Amino acid sequence: MFSTLHTNSAPETLTRLLDMGLDPFNFADALLGVLAQRLARTLCKACKVPYGASTAQVEELRQAYGAAAFAGLGLGEVELYRGVGCAECSQSGYRGRVGLHELLVATPEIKRLIQQRARIAEVAACAQQEGMTTLLQDGVLKVLAGVTDMLQVKAVASK
């Protein structure tokens, strides 16, 4: 089944569905995964320009991604991009949208937590330990790839 629910994250969807009266055992057994998504504006490909990230900007990215996980990315000098504005983007520096995604896979441990009606924080921590990339982390990766900027990521993925 595909459905739309308005929640801040994939783990919060589980709690919302349980609060709607779903049986946790049947629900956990049937669940394959939950995908959360947001749309962020993309930098205009015609006018985006690279620049060296300041120490403060790198620290902001590190905090948003998670310090330990960010260190695991193995980045050297960080180069970011900004749109300067042109005729193609009506001088805004942005053109188009990109999806930020968070996929919670219903692993045996996640299913056990659902059956126990665990707190959102516990489910989210378990999912991240099992490799889930959060919306904010996916946004940071897209900032590092020059697809969007942190201003857009914070606008759509911050809680």
Side-chain angles (χ1 to χ4, degrees):
M1 171 181 85
F2 289 98
S3 182
T4 300
L5 286 175
H6 297 281
T7 60
N8 290 327
S9 68
E12 289 181 41
T13 302
L14 304 175
T15 301
R16 174 77 58 90
L17 290 169
L18 292 173
D19 288 347
M20 292 171 65
L22 290 178
D23 174 61
F25 289 95
N26 290 331
F27 172 55
D29 187 46
L31 184 66
L32 297 175
V34 177
L35 177 70
Q37 66 179 6
R38 302 290 184 277
L39 291 176
R41 296 192 309 170
T42 56
L43 294 171
C44 176
K45 291 176 185 165
C47 69
K48 74 178 181 179
V49 295
Y51 67 96
S54 70
T55 304
Q57 288 171 315
V58 173
E59 181 59 22
E60 179 182 27
L61 292 168
R62 189 177 80 77
Q63 291 297 320
Y65 197 83
F70 192 78
L73 294 176
L75 301 173
E77 190 173 318
V78 176
E79 185 175 76
L80 300 178
Y81 291 82
R82 68 170 58 99
V84 294
C86 67
E88 287 192 37
C89 63
S90 300
Q91 304 303 321
S92 70
Y94 299 100
R95 183 161 186 191
R97 305 266 184 213
V98 64
L100 307 183
H101 300 94
E102 174 178 286
L103 178 63
L104 184 146
V105 177
T107 64
E109 183 61 18
I110 294 293
K111 290 180 179 196
R112 185 186 67 74
L113 291 172
I114 292 168
Q115 291 170 345
Q116 294 176 344
R117 291 185 174 263
R119 294 183 354 260
I120 293 169
E122 190 176 353
V123 174
C126 177
Q128 287 177 22
Q129 284 178 330
E130 292 182 341
M132 180 183 81
T133 301
T134 67
L135 285 167
L136 198 50
Q137 288 174 327
D138 191 40
V140 168
L141 292 174
K142 287 177 174 137
V143 168
L144 293 170
V147 175
T148 190
D149 59 26
M150 199 58 192
L151 180 67
Q152 294 302 307
V153 171
K154 288 191 303 187
V156 300
S158 295
K159 294 178 185 177

